[in-house]
């Protein structure tokens, strides 16, 4: 995770590439700060030199930039993880057609978050629709990030895509039963 927070910016020459080269997975998401343009450029450079798995959740901010702006990152992405609205804004297509377009750009797995409907996953060979858990929703802040964490945990553990999707839904379900993005998340989860 390379995230400087809301007010800072990340210049490419500030990134410790030796350290990053030890990561198995690099997760990218959008920068919302005023200085975000510099950080966006750094992300583009970083994915070019990074050798491992790249996961990318564009969020609404990057989705609105459009495919042309994001193509340099998407082409280096292994797992693309928008929500359905972001996929539709980004590609101008339904989220399933959009997923195909993204696969055609060289991405291996597309995971679309569908809120209370769970998630849709495709790698071009299989398509999965995995329903969300039925829980008492208190606050959905952080649901997307919790989902990403659960999914990527499974992926790094070598689980199949269905199991990864279930883990994403599960972690998101824990998140949304408490106020705030972190309160419901487990510590030291044994799986
Ligand atoms: N009402 C709900 N009931 C059960 N699970 C939910 C609900 N809302 C969200 N989730 C879970 O959270 C995941 C992510 O939520 P969502 O689809 O809203 O992503 P997002 O829009 O990217 O979220 P965020 O706004 O946090 O970025 C869903 O895939 C699902 O597993
Ligand atoms: Mg999101």
């Amino acid at each position: 995770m390379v995230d400087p927070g809301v007010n800072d910016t990340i210049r490419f020459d500030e990134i410790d590439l030796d350290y990053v080269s030890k990561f198995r997975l690099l997760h990218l998401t959008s920068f919302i700060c005023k200085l975000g343009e510099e950080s966006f450029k750094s992300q583009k450079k970083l994915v070019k030199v990074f050798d491992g798995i790249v996961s990318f959740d564009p969020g609404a901010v990057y989705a609105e930039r459009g495919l042309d702006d994001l193509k340099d990152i998407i082409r280096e992405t292994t797992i693309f993880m928008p929500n359905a609205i972001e996929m539709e804004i980004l590609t101008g297509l339904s989220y399933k057609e959009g997923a195909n377009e993204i696969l055609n750009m060289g991405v291996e797995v597309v995971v679309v978050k569908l809120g209370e409907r769970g998630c849709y996953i495709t790698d071009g060979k299989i398509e999965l629709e995995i329903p969300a858990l039925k829980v008492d929703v208190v606050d959905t802040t952080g649901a997307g990030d919790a989902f990403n964490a659960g999914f990527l945990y499974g992926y790094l553990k070598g689980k199949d895509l269905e199991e990864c999707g279930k883990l994403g839904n599960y972690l998101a379900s824990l998140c949304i039963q408490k106020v705030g993005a972190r309160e419901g998340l487990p510590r030291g989860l044994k799986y």
Side-chain angles (χ1 to χ4, degrees), residues 1-65:
M1 175 86 77
V2 176
D3 179 0
V6 175
N7 296 313
D8 295 321
T9 190
I10 284 200
R11 295 200 323 268
F12 185 66
D13 61 12
E14 290 174 329
I15 299 172
D16 181 345
L17 294 178
D18 277 346
Y19 181 55
V20 176
S21 71
K22 298 191 179 90
F23 300 175
R24 276 181 65 204
L25 181 145
L26 177 69
H27 182 70
L28 303 175
T29 188
S30 51
F31 288 99
I32 54 172
C33 53
K34 279 199 201 111
L35 301 170
E37 207 49 38
E38 184 65 30
S39 303
F40 179 60
K41 281 187 202 151
S42 300
Q43 288 176 309
K44 288 202 270 191
K45 288 183 188 161
L46 189 57
V47 292
K48 276 244 167 305
V49 297
F50 181 68
D51 222 10
I53 301 160
V54 175
S55 53
F56 180 30
D57 178 345
V61 176
Y62 277 12
E64 279 159 16
R65 299 181 78 115

Side-chain angles (χ1 to χ4, degrees), residues 29 57-60 81-83 86 113 143-145 148:
T29 188
D57 178 345
M81 322 182 79
N83 69 25
E86 291 154 5
K113 287 161 275 181
D145 285 337
N148 294 343

Side-chain angles (χ1 to χ4, degrees), residues 60-184:
V61 176
Y62 277 12
E64 279 159 16
R65 299 181 78 115
L67 260 190
D68 200 45
D69 238 23
L70 297 193
K71 65 178 185 306
D72 290 347
I73 297 180
I74 292 175
R75 283 180 184 146
E76 305 295 335
T77 294
T78 319
I79 308 170
F80 188 60
M81 322 182 79
N83 69 25
I85 296 165
E86 291 154 5
M87 181 66 103
E88 288 168 7
I89 290 170
L90 179 66
T91 61
L93 299 166
S94 73
Y95 70 82
K96 289 188 183 180
E97 291 166 340
N100 271 327
E101 176 113 354
I102 299 293
L103 290 174
N104 288 336
M105 294 171 75
V107 169
E108 287 178 24
V109 182
V110 177
V111 185
V112 183
K113 287 161 275 181
L114 305 173
E116 63 185 2
R117 288 165 45 220
C119 64
Y120 168 78
I121 305 172
T122 182
D123 63 359
K125 295 188 279 292
I126 56 158
E127 276 185 293
L128 299 163
E129 285 173 54
I130 307 176
L133 282 87
K134 292 200 189 329
V135 294
D136 290 328
V137 182
V138 175
D139 174 16
T140 60
T141 305
D145 285 337
F147 178 96
N148 294 343
F151 185 97
L152 296 171
Y153 172 84
Y155 194 86
L156 287 171
K157 291 275 179 191
K159 308 286 179 197
D160 63 30
L161 293 178
E162 182 169 8
E163 197 77 358
C164 294
K166 285 180 179 170
L167 277 163
N169 284 342
Y170 174 59
L171 221 63
S173 79
L174 295 180
C175 171
I176 64 182
Q177 290 175 75
K178 294 269 165 65
V179 175
R182 294 187 182 175
E183 192 54 33

